[in-house]
Amino acid sequence: MDFSGRDHLLLSQWKNAVAECKENLKERRDIEQVEQYTTWNDVRRQVGSGHESAMLMSSLKKLKDFMERVLCPLNPELERNTFWGLCRLTLKLSYDYDVAVRQVARMLKDIGHRVEALSEFRFKAQEITFSLKEACMECATVVLYFFSEVIKFLRTPDLTISDEFIDDEWKTLQSQFAYTINDLDDILSRTSNNLSTLLAGLWPSSRTEPVEGQSSSRAGAMQALVHTQPAEVHTSIRAAGLPSPGLDESVKFPCVVLPLSFSVQRFFNREDTLAKLEDHFANYETSEFRSVLIHGLGGVGKSSIALHFAEKKRQRNELDALFWIHAENLISIKQSFTRIATKLKLADARARDDDHNTTFVLDWLAETSCRWFLIYDNVESKELLRAHWPSSTHGQAIVTARNHSVGFDLVDGTLEIMKWDEDTATRYFFHLLARDIGADVEQTDRASAIQLSRKLDGHALAISVAAAMIHQRRWTVSDFMKVYDEHPSEMLEVSGSRSINALWKLSFQTLSSNGRIILGILSYMASDSIPQALFDIQPKDKGKLDNRLKFCEDSFEVSNALEDLLAGALIRVDRSTQTFSVHRLVQDSFRFSLSPSERQQAWLDAANVLCLAFPLRDAESAQMYLHSERCAMYLQHVLCIGNAVHREQKLNPSFHAFEAYCHMNNSCSRYLLEINAYNELQDLIKANEAALSNLPDTPKQLYMESELTSYKGQMFMKMGQAKLGLYCLRNSYEGWCNVIPFEGIEAAWAAENLANCVASDNDYLTAIAWHERAEMQWKEWSSTQTLPVPVSPILKKSLCQTLLWHGDIARARRLALEALLEIEQKVPFNWAMAAYLKFILGSIARRNGEYGVAEQYFTEAQNSWLEGNKLKTDPFNAACLFRKGCVALSQGKVGIAIRHLRDAIEKTDTKKSVLVAEHARCLFKLSEALEQEPRGGAEAQREYEEAFRMLEKLNPNASAPLTEDIFDQYINILWR
């Protein structure tokens, strides 16, 4: 028998097994559910919450990886709908009984370990033999039969499930599970001698006598369920000299990502709190996920306690990985996950794809065997925490927050941090001043220390600031108290304590003038990850700051000012990442200590230095793709001072921005547009509109308003709201035409943006006229330059996209090839435009029926995009996958088409609330592919109906039958 013949035999055996399992379903409702719910997403949605659910999800992901990454590539025509249907029904029935879901979760955990071991062996195999393919198919078949047996057991008439695992009722399922484990071990043992030796050590108890009263239809049984711990599995694998289950191969343990700005050495007291944390985590096992919420007032030491506790565990060698997550806002959370992915050296980590990296890190946490610990610091939103919470059967986490309700339903314990009592606060005060005050403390100093501790109400951060001032000024405690009493404060806005606010005021007043300026700048930034490069003024920018900020051009003066803040315990520095952090209480307190005019000046200072640091859009290229790394570095700080605009305008009606700030905001808007961060873009647009509304008279106002309106229109166009986009982009074009002096190149770009939006609205003839106007205005502008500038290939790219949809295929192809050649010869290389042009050429080839050529172009477009942009979650990447699925289906490669379309759906699913048409067309095309699959009809119908429901959101009058063109008309022309 030849190889293909044996493959056919394997598929026949699989089909027989599927048919047998479906015949075992006795109830009509079960058959209907297995045929209706047939995808991994259906399985995932069935998993509930809680410890057992986390265990289930980890095991199910191992099954998913095996089916999608191992079995299906080896057998592209494999029908897996029934596998997922039976899996989902197994979960659904198990959740009807608390005891059942616990036992099924443990069973699937052991099955998952074995499936994972086979997956790893497959990936390390130097060649794909028939015996390996046979082993993988057998493995899937055994799991398929297990699902069938669980369903049969849970459908037993008059079944009574008690909490006693040894009950006779359970023995039936125990025995079936034992057969499953033995069969899997047989498969793994036959696959490799090394693996056989390893398995004998891993699961020695899996070869035991059958349960009494049960037939031995398979090779062996067991007396009780095997509970192999993940850490034991991985340790044994490493000891046997075999590769660890893939995930941890590139990781160097211990792996740590922490803010080095915290000082563990100066940690004081809190023994009772640490003891409570030790008790909470004392019974931790590697198969259990434990977490706790630490809450309390700002500045009482929550973050320091979390870090100190985790560090002690690491020093005792109880942790392999320790990660800190700045959880104040969405941007800081995602950037934290990217830092973790980079530190872990995950194979698919991408430097700027925060969404992608977040998913990969959460998956890694769920699947790795290492002992990890997370600290979510300064959480403000329970929704954000929930969206970034690990779904894992093991690991540990601490959440710090001011609000006790944040994460309450996620963690399994809470701990409130109170302010110190008078005695402890006094001892902490002397602990901080140990270097400045001898053992024999003056009685007056001791009395003053007690008095100060009482006034500061045991507030840890306030006490540390007071101690820092005493140390810095070389005062005695009595000297400090004299000065302190002369500066009463009536402010209650920040801490609610006049005494603490008096301390802040005194601390700020004793700063040098340059130190106050820098603290004012930092008070308007995000509180964490403030780049030191913010104050590294480049030679080209020297002379651009006003006299007040001239000292920033001198690195020595900047260093002195920062040392002033560091010595006063007002900021922290992380030398490893070259970033600053400022406690939010310090930021708030400093801003509240300023008069309205001083707040205005501090905001202007912050905006000024940020304007020099953030890259600006170049008129000739009109894009930010080549500056994405610097943009990402400063993004959260641009958003932060943008959010402050509304707040400051409410507090001070005369508050105003300035021209360069609005220009920077527009450049950042362009960057957000390119990375499709629509929520952040809408916030920044609102901030810039507010800034422009009271901008002092400037000849550039119309210039900036036209640019801002353009980004607003392009945002609507990308979100599928072409009508709103047209309104904005027409206003933008008219604005550019009225700018004095006339900006011909900007008018050309405005005409091109309007053309793309008109084309997205399906008026191709009008769009072509706008494209031609854009080219004409470019040439007019070029004629005014010292050296003529050829028409940008970007304009040609946009025109040929419209020509394609208008039906002028020949001209579109000629222009696309011409533009691609120009792009490839230009330095620096514009990978984004190259990707768009290859996508267009792929669409042209598809129109001409050249499916092989089209597939190659779409693949090249996707590769160009990912090599440059690195954002797998970008809609353009999803569009490439979608088109690859389309051309594969046209070539009769149904299995490949389904895989590409499922991948596309995975990408569009993250933005389906905004990109409705993009997601709906992927579902529709998948339904077409599934129709060609044996037994794919039920899933095909479901995906078709979901696509139709989504289409009705765009057009309530939509009617069947659906076609690909119906969805395309609602999609942005750039990735149509």
Side-chain angles (χ1 to χ4, degrees):
M1 182 183 298
D2 62 17
F3 197 74
S4 60
R6 291 191 291 177
D7 285 350
H8 182 71
L9 178 59
L10 290 179
L11 286 172
S12 296
Q13 292 172 344
W14 173 258
K15 290 178 181 178
N16 291 337
V18 166
E20 182 180 345
C21 289
K22 292 181 75 172
E23 288 175 5
N24 287 338
L25 299 174
K26 302 302 182 183
E27 298 195 20
R28 180 61 195 168
R29 55 179 170 163
D30 289 345
I31 298 173
E32 291 175 349
Q33 288 192 57
V34 168
E35 290 179 347
Q36 181 179 3
Y37 300 101
T38 57
T39 68
W40 160 251
N41 285 334
D42 293 326
V43 172
R44 185 172 57 182
R45 284 190 285 266
Q46 188 60 52
V47 178
S49 59
H51 170 66
E52 287 76 19
S53 296
M55 184 190 301
L56 274 171
M57 185 55 72
S58 177
S59 304
L60 292 169
K61 284 180 178 177
K62 292 171 184 176
L63 287 179
K64 174 181 179 289
D65 285 345
F66 174 74
M67 292 297 289
E68 303 297 333
R69 299 177 60 203
V70 176
L71 193 61
C72 290
L74 293 177
N75 303 274
E77 300 302 318
L78 184 79
E79 185 272 309
R80 56 192 182 280
N81 294 347
T82 303
F83 182 90
W84 293 125
L86 290 170
C87 179
R88 184 255 174 202
L89 182 57
T90 298
L91 299 178
K92 181 180 183 300
L93 297 179
S94 299
Y95 273 105
D96 290 341
Y97 306 93
D98 289 341
V99 180
V101 75
R102 287 200 298 271
Q103 305 310 334
V104 170
R106 291 182 172 87
M107 293 176 182
L108 284 175
K109 185 179 82 169
D110 290 342
I111 291 172
H113 292 331
R114 288 152 172 85
V115 168
E116 183 180 36
L118 183 57
S119 296
E120 285 304 314
F121 183 79
R122 150 68 186 94
F123 290 127
K124 295 298 179 183
Q126 295 183 353
E127 62 174 329
I128 307 301
T129 63
F130 177 75
S131 62
L132 178 57
K133 298 178 75 171
E134 185 179 36
C136 292
M137 186 69 84
E138 279 189 70
C139 179
T141 304
V142 169
V143 178
L144 187 78
Y145 278 119
F146 171 72
F147 289 146
S148 177
E149 294 293 347
V150 175
I151 294 169
K152 180 179 177 181
F153 169 74
L154 294 174
R155 284 300 192 196
T156 302
D158 302 321
L159 176 67
T160 303
I161 298 182
S162 72
D163 207 14
E164 293 296 329
F165 189 61
I166 58 173
D167 274 4
D168 290 340
E169 293 283 8
W170 276 108
K171 289 183 179 180
T172 302
L173 189 57
Q174 286 182 48
S175 185
Q176 295 297 339
F177 173 64
Y179 300 148
T180 298
I181 290 296
N182 283 330
D183 285 352
L184 291 174
D185 288 351
D186 282 339
I187 294 167
L188 293 169
S189 298
R190 294 198 312 270
T191 304
S192 166
N193 291 332
N194 287 337
L195 201 55
S196 177
T197 302
L198 167 64
L199 293 173
L202 282 179
W203 303 301
S205 61
S206 57
R207 306 268 173 201
T208 56
E209 294 300 317
V211 176
E212 184 179 353
Q214 298 294 330
S215 62
S216 301
S217 61
R218 296 178 185 165
M222 62 190 294
Q223 294 172 343
L225 286 178
V226 183
H227 301 295
T228 309
Q229 302 299 329
E232 296 170 354
V233 175
H234 287 241
T235 302
S236 301
I237 288 176
R238 293 191 183 103
L242 292 176
S244 164
L247 291 172
D248 300 339
E249 283 185 355
S250 62
V251 183
K252 183 178 179 180
F253 294 113
C255 187
V256 178
V257 176
L258 289 177
L260 299 183
S261 53
F262 282 93
S263 173
V264 177
Q265 288 74 24
R266 304 201 74 182
F267 186 82
F268 178 78
N269 193 256
R270 300 296 189 187
E271 285 84 1
D272 58 335
T273 301
L274 295 174
K276 291 176 182 177
L277 288 173
E278 291 287 358
D279 288 343
H280 181 79
F281 290 103
N283 298 321
Y284 166 77
E285 298 179 0
T286 54
S287 61
E288 184 179 19
F289 177 58
R290 300 298 300 275
S291 58
V292 67
L293 168 66
I294 298 177
H295 63 94
L297 295 174
V300 295
K302 301 182 295 296
S303 302
S304 296
I305 291 169
L307 178 60
H308 184 78
F309 176 75
E311 272 287 274
K312 288 297 183 184
K313 289 180 73 67
R314 185 168 74 93
Q315 292 168 10
R316 297 196 301 260
N317 198 31
E318 295 176 9
L319 300 177
D320 300 316
L322 175 56
F323 302 130
W324 187 277
I325 299 166
H326 297 290
E328 187 173 344
N329 55 60
L330 179 60
I331 297 294
S332 64
I333 289 177
K334 288 183 176 181
Q335 290 184 349
S336 295
F337 275 100
T338 289
R339 281 190 287 271
I340 295 170
T342 303
K343 183 71 173 181
L344 287 169
K345 298 181 180 178
L346 296 182
D348 212 19
R350 294 178 174 271
R352 295 182 297 277
D353 196 343
D354 294 337
D355 289 334
H356 177 77
N357 293 333
T358 299
T359 300
F360 261 73
V361 170
L362 289 173
D363 285 347
W364 182 86
L365 293 171
E367 297 171 16
T368 181
S369 66
C370 88
R371 301 164 301 170
W372 52 261
F373 200 110
L374 302 180
I375 299 174
Y376 291 86
D377 190 45
N378 284 333
V379 175
E380 292 192 341
S381 165
K382 58 184 177 182
E383 289 77 18
L384 280 182
L385 180 63
R386 184 183 300 280
H388 298 87
W389 192 248
S391 173
S392 178
T393 58
H394 69 289
Q396 303 171 76
I398 286 179
V399 177
T400 74
R402 298 184 187 186
N403 188 341
H404 73 279
S405 66
V406 170
F408 183 81
D409 57 338
L410 293 175
V411 299
D412 46 55
T414 62
L415 185 60
E416 183 177 7
I417 307 301
M418 307 298 292
K419 292 176 290 187
W420 276 315
D421 59 40
E422 183 179 301
D423 178 63
T424 306
T426 303
R427 288 191 291 111
Y428 175 56
F429 188 60
F430 283 122
H431 167 74
L432 294 175
L433 292 174
R435 292 173 298 175
D436 305 281
I437 301 177
D440 298 326
V441 182
E442 294 281 347
Q443 185 62 35
T444 54
D445 271 355
R446 182 173 295 280
S448 297
I450 294 172
Q451 180 187 7
L452 180 62
S453 299
R454 185 183 303 123
K455 285 192 172 186
L456 297 183
D457 201 20
H459 192 279
L461 180 60
I463 293 171
S464 67
V465 170
M469 290 175 65
I470 292 171
H471 171 74
Q472 186 181 20
R473 301 282 170 173
R474 301 187 184 279
W475 285 335
T476 65
V477 183
S478 300
D479 292 336
F480 175 81
M481 284 304 300
K482 290 177 183 177
V483 179
Y484 174 79
D485 288 336
E486 293 172 1
H487 293 79
S489 175
E490 298 304 319
M491 294 190 306
L492 289 171
E493 296 93 332
V494 181
S495 68
S497 165
R498 288 187 177 88
S499 298
I500 292 178
N501 283 305
L503 172 68
W504 291 127
K505 193 167 186 178
L506 175 59
S507 175
F508 301 147
Q509 286 177 347
T510 58
L511 289 172
S512 66
S513 59
N514 290 346
R516 282 180 61 84
I517 289 172
I518 287 187
L519 185 56
I521 291 170
L522 299 181
S523 72
Y524 281 99
M525 302 292 169
S527 61
D528 293 303
S529 302
I530 306 170
Q532 291 184 26
L534 186 66
F535 300 104
D536 184 14
I537 309 301
Q538 299 301 305
K540 66 180 180 61
D541 293 324
K542 290 188 176 180
K544 295 182 179 179
L545 295 172
D546 60 31
N547 290 332
R548 173 184 169 83
L549 296 174
K550 277 293 181 184
F551 77 93
C552 292
E553 298 178 1
D554 187 327
S555 58
F556 182 75
E557 289 197 43
V558 170
S559 178
N560 283 340
L562 291 170
E563 285 301 323
D564 197 15
L565 299 175
L566 288 166
L570 296 172
I571 67 171
R572 294 189 177 103
V573 63
D574 188 332
R575 306 291 181 189
S576 66
T577 59
Q578 296 187 312
T579 59
F580 301 113
S581 62
V582 191
H583 199 287
R584 285 178 295 168
L585 190 57
V586 174
Q587 291 179 309
D588 293 343
S589 298
F590 186 75
R591 290 197 305 269
F592 276 113
S593 74
L594 302 176
S595 66
S597 61
E598 288 173 328
R599 288 172 68 100
Q600 166 75 85
Q601 188 59 60
W603 184 91
L604 291 172
D605 292 342
N608 262 301
V609 295
L610 201 50
C611 284
L612 296 185
F614 195 87
L616 298 180
R617 166 185 166 273
D618 172 66
E620 191 168 330
S621 67
Q623 296 169 340
M624 300 294 289
Y625 290 115
L626 301 179
H627 306 292
S628 53
E629 188 170 342
R630 280 182 63 202
C631 290
M633 182 189 302
Y634 292 105
L635 175 59
Q636 65 169 329
H637 306 295
V638 175
L639 295 174
C640 196
I641 67 168
N643 291 336
V645 170
H646 301 287
R647 183 176 68 239
E648 296 300 324
Q649 285 181 338
K650 289 179 181 178
L651 294 171
N652 180 9
S654 63
F655 174 87
H656 62 86
F658 57 99
E659 182 181 305
Y661 167 73
C662 297
H663 187 36
M664 177 197 67
N665 263 3
N666 281 340
S667 293
C668 188
S669 296
R670 174 70 206 188
Y671 169 67
L672 291 170
L673 186 69
E674 290 175 358
I675 65 172
N676 302 289
Y678 302 126
N679 290 333
E680 291 82 2
L681 177 55
Q682 290 182 69
D683 290 342
L684 190 58
I685 286 174
K686 289 177 183 177
N688 217 18
E689 286 175 336
L692 285 167
S693 67
N694 61 355
L695 195 67
D697 289 339
T698 169
K700 286 281 189 177
Q701 177 137 1
L702 183 56
Y703 179 110
M704 289 181 289
E705 289 175 348
S706 300
E707 188 177 13
L708 176 64
T709 307
S710 172
Y711 296 136
K712 193 173 183 179
Q714 291 178 70
M715 176 187 69
F716 286 132
M717 177 181 70
K718 282 193 166 190
M719 292 169 65
Q721 301 176 42
K723 300 295 186 188
L724 287 174
L726 285 172
Y727 174 79
C728 294
L729 290 170
R730 284 197 180 98
N731 288 338
S732 174
Y733 177 75
E734 291 172 4
W736 283 118
C737 289
N738 289 305
V739 165
I740 300 174
F742 179 61
E743 297 278 354
I745 189 171
E746 296 290 4
W749 290 127
E752 186 231 9
N753 290 327
L754 183 53
N756 287 335
C757 195
V758 172
S760 296
D761 199 38
N762 307 301
D763 186 355
Y764 303 120
L765 278 175
T766 304
I768 290 171
W770 277 106
H771 283 302
E772 291 170 347
R773 183 178 299 189
E775 182 177 342
M776 176 193 70
Q777 291 188 310
W778 182 284
K779 290 178 178 177
E780 288 179 359
W781 166 79
S782 176
S783 66
T784 66
Q785 304 303 299
T786 305
L787 293 175
V789 182
V791 174
S792 171
I794 299 174
L795 296 183
K796 297 178 183 179
K797 178 271 303 179
S798 298
L799 173 58
C800 61
Q801 179 81 312
T802 300
L803 290 171
L804 163 66
W805 286 92
H806 179 56
D808 195 344
I809 306 297
R811 186 183 173 198
R813 185 175 184 277
R814 177 178 59 78
L815 267 179
L817 291 171
E818 179 183 309
L820 182 59
L821 181 61
E822 293 176 24
I823 288 287
E824 291 176 339
Q825 292 175 344
K826 194 174 180 64
V827 178
F829 175 62
N830 192 326
W831 48 265
M833 294 306 104
Y836 278 129
L837 284 162
K838 290 173 182 177
F839 183 83
I840 293 168
L841 288 166
S843 298
I844 291 170
R846 184 190 179 207
R847 290 282 185 96
N848 291 335
E850 300 168 341
Y851 301 121
V853 175
E855 184 175 17
Q856 181 178 349
Y857 271 126
F858 288 134
T859 301
E860 289 179 4
Q862 183 185 22
N863 291 340
S864 293
W865 187 265
L866 294 179
E867 286 171 10
N869 180 271
K870 304 187 185 304
L871 299 180
K872 279 195 167 184
T873 52
D874 194 280
F876 182 76
N877 182 44
C880 291
L881 288 165
F882 172 76
R883 289 302 179 200
K884 286 168 70 175
C886 292
V887 295
L889 190 60
S890 297
Q891 296 175 85
K893 303 175 183 177
V894 178
I896 294 174
I898 291 174
R899 186 170 73 250
H900 286 320
L901 292 168
R902 290 193 193 278
D903 286 344
I905 288 171
E906 186 178 288
K907 307 298 182 291
T908 57
D909 187 66
T910 62
K911 292 184 172 68
K912 65 183 180 183
S913 61
V914 175
L915 304 178
V916 178
E918 285 84 343
H919 189 63
R921 76 168 175 179
C922 289
L923 295 173
F924 165 71
K925 203 66 183 181
L926 178 61
S927 74
E928 286 195 332
L930 290 169
E931 282 288 355
Q932 300 183 36
E933 277 276 277
R935 297 184 176 86
E939 184 185 359
Q941 182 62 30
R942 190 170 67 257
E943 303 292 10
Y944 182 94
E945 291 172 356
E946 178 61 21
F948 190 84
R949 281 193 292 271
M950 296 191 74
L951 179 62
E952 286 182 314
K953 295 179 181 178
L954 302 170
N955 179 10
N957 298 319
S959 59
L962 302 182
T963 64
E964 189 180 320
D965 291 342
I966 290 176
F967 296 96
D968 283 338
Q969 66 180 313
Y970 297 104
I971 292 174
N972 173 17
I973 194 75
L974 299 178
W975 52 64
R976 182 172 288 187

